[in-house]
Amino acid sequence: MNNSITIRHTCPACGATTELASAKLNVWVCNCREVPFVGEDGVKATFLTKLARNIGQLQPGTTGVWQNKAFTLSGVVRIWCREAVLNYWTALFSDGTIWYLEEGYGFYAFLKPDTTVTPFTADKLKKIRVDNKPNLKGEQPYLFINKNECWKAEVEGAVQMPAIPKDMKLYDFAADNGTKVSIIQWDPETIQAFEVGSVKREDLQLANLRQVNGEAGHSFQCSECPERIIIKSFPYALSCACTRCGTGYHYLPVKGFTKVFKRKKEFTPQFDFGVTGIIDGVNWEVVGCAQKEEKNSYHSKWREYTLYNDVHGYAFLSEFDGHWTFLREQAETPVLYAESIGDFTYAKEPFTIFNRYHYKVLTAAGEFPYDIFNNEDTQVKEFISPPEIWIKEKDNEEGIRWFFGRHISKREIKEALLLAYELPYRIGTGAVQPTGYKNPVKLAIATFLGVLILILMHSLYAATLENKLVYEGRLEIVDSTNQASDVSQNLEFNKASSNLKLTINAPVSNSWASVSATLVNTVTGKEYSLEEGIEYYYGYSEGESWTEGSTSSEAYFTAIPAGTYKLQLQASRDASDMNISYVSVVAQYDIETPRNVFIPIIAIIAWAVITFYIGQIFEKERWRNSPFSNYTYDDE
């Protein structure tokens, strides 16, 4: 690795010498717990503190690989904000470059310095508001989505920082082409821009990880009852509520956990805290529960359970009227440039706005990864494409969060959490309940593809047919018996099962003729019979000419096994029409049968129509409680 030990620094507090792995590292934790900073004017002491406790698996010395380049994490600066705690690891790459690895809440992203971003001053950044689209990089519009103000910074190991954090702020921007930019204001004079690339933990090939013992991150005494509150996921959980009395707390600068909420309603959670279960391959633990209510005319109430995993962060189980949704906050999200956008497509899936509301918390217990009690100004929008949902939470001060979810059945929850009791019964149709729903566009595409595949398969099958002429004859009707007959030569049929088509013609005119045909196996004597008539009538009535019927017709023997056969034919004519002097018959073996493709096509189309009709019934019920419903209801 090019980042070899190249420099030593002396602690201004204790005089100890520390050897750093790269000349680019300029902040470190001394054994005396001082956190010195190396700047242009030399080494000096700072107000930064040593990281008190790290409950995560990453640690100084953790190694990994990204884009075929090895890296080592030399240290971390932990940034404390009102709504979040974020870790910025200094990653020393084997080619000598240094990036930050942002980590927290199960998210990972590399921050690469980006000098192409338009320079910003602290005053200009301060004026940017959520949903603004500042001129950031060229012609591509970027949406301002999030702002975090730092009130404390802690350090572990050795890191790179261009300045000592003072009035530190983090600004996040995103574009609809998937690119993201972060701007870090270390102090009012030191502002850096970074290209942000989200990564999956499993793609980093991490090694030399810290052993996590699973102990609680923090505990304190409830101020309103004898209960001692234990917060397993602190410091990521910055709000909590007593499981006995429901008193809510939020972690504030200097003060620590401070009472901010008193429950408005009693509520018994469906799950015990501490219960664990595997959902989508992750072992989650139930750590919190809140009952929320929409602040509108509907006053809809739902229950939201907080799940935690020390590697993957947080997830949520939301229950409304017995319908369950499994949700996780996402780093890669839709970017909607206008507040008026009601429909969008993401990852080739169309989503439609279903609900919009503000909400309040009625009661809570356990721990939560944000200030759950300070969200009454947060606007929530739900966009659905059953069984999936995107939920957008927007706060004009705190920014935009996106959660992606899917319908999850009661059975899956019971099996995951090993529940021996029943969960609430379902009422109505859920917002993302999959039953009965077929996206009309997808249904049309599926129908088209089904028909196309059927036609292609039929064409390939038709290419294997013999399509052989085995008989062609003319049955002359010359006397008053009005009948004629004929018997073919031996007909050799080779296939295990095939058909024989008869094409019949006769000069009928306001009259009829018919043919009785019998196919006889010369070895077994088994017979196959059919009768086909020909009618053609015409005339003039009520000032218009009309016709009915035809002078020709077709008939089929089907599923004829291999063997030697004779074809026996007998023709009859309308006794009133002596002009019918003959009936001609042509027999073709192993030919294409149109009905073999038309009937399945009709069946596919019928399935699509019936599915769409049934789906509309369910859709109407799904949208009953939505303010964006396009349906009308009899009870309105």
Side-chain angles (χ1 to χ4, degrees), residues 14 16 18 29-34:
C14 69
T18 299
V29 178
C30 181
N31 289 333
C32 70
R33 302 184 68 85
E34 179 66 40

Side-chain angles (χ1 to χ4, degrees), residues 437-456:
Y437 180 77
K438 292 290 185 299
N439 182 284
V441 175
K442 289 186 176 181
L443 182 61
I445 292 174
T447 303
F448 172 77
L449 291 177
V451 171
L452 181 62
I453 291 171
L454 188 63
I455 292 174
L456 290 175

Side-chain angles (χ1 to χ4, degrees), residues 285-497:
E285 179 181 348
V286 179
V287 296
C289 176
Q291 186 175 33
K292 301 179 179 181
E293 180 182 57
E294 292 182 9
K295 295 168 59 178
N296 53 28
S297 59
Y298 292 95
H299 296 290
S300 298
K301 299 180 182 66
W302 72 100
R303 277 62 51 193
E304 194 170 274
Y305 297 87
T306 302
L307 313 179
Y308 176 70
N309 176 278
D310 57 9
V311 172
H312 297 277
Y314 295 90
F316 304 90
L317 275 175
S318 179
E319 179 267 322
F320 174 71
D321 281 351
H323 299 276
W324 294 85
T325 307
F326 178 69
L327 296 150
R328 292 185 69 182
E329 188 176 357
Q330 300 295 312
E332 300 294 326
T333 71
V335 175
L336 306 184
Y337 289 120
E339 190 64 32
S340 59
I341 294 175
D343 303 297
F344 64 85
T345 298
Y346 188 81
K348 299 182 180 180
E349 288 287 336
F351 289 84
T352 301
I353 189 166
F354 181 81
N355 204 0
R356 179 179 61 207
Y357 55 89
H358 293 75
Y359 69 90
K360 60 183 178 182
V361 175
L362 298 179
T363 187
E367 57 195 82
F368 309 94
Y370 49 84
D371 184 2
I372 192 176
F373 308 111
N374 186 35
N375 286 322
E376 293 199 13
D377 293 329
T378 299
Q379 183 192 70
V380 182
K381 287 186 177 181
E382 299 176 354
F383 301 87
I384 66 170
S385 179
E388 298 174 339
I389 184 171
W390 277 103
I391 298 179
K392 176 188 177 185
E393 293 191 355
K394 175 188 172 184
D395 186 288
N396 289 329
E397 295 297 325
E398 298 166 2
I400 298 171
R401 286 193 183 98
W402 282 93
F403 298 82
F404 180 74
R406 65 170 179 86
H407 168 83
I408 183 170
S409 68
K410 292 194 297 183
R411 178 179 179 181
E412 185 176 350
I413 295 172
K414 289 182 64 177
E415 290 178 351
L417 302 180
L418 301 178
L419 304 179
Y421 51 86
E422 285 299 320
L423 296 173
Y425 290 104
R426 294 190 310 194
I427 301 174
T429 303
V432 289
Q433 181 182 347
T435 305
Y437 180 77
K438 292 290 185 299
N439 182 284
V441 175
K442 289 186 176 181
L443 182 61
I445 292 174
T447 303
F448 172 77
L449 291 177
V451 171
L452 181 62
I453 291 171
L454 188 63
I455 292 174
L456 290 175
M457 291 178 63
H458 184 75
S459 299
L460 292 174
Y461 168 73
T464 67
L465 299 176
E466 294 185 15
N467 195 21
K468 181 170 65 175
L469 178 66
V470 295
Y471 174 85
E472 185 174 14
R474 181 172 166 130
L475 283 67
E476 302 287 348
I477 306 175
V478 296
D479 53 30
S480 59
T481 62
N482 299 316
Q483 293 183 343
S485 61
D486 191 18
V487 177
S488 71
Q489 300 293 321
N490 285 346
L491 308 178
E492 298 294 336
F493 296 166
N494 303 317
K495 292 193 172 181
S497 180

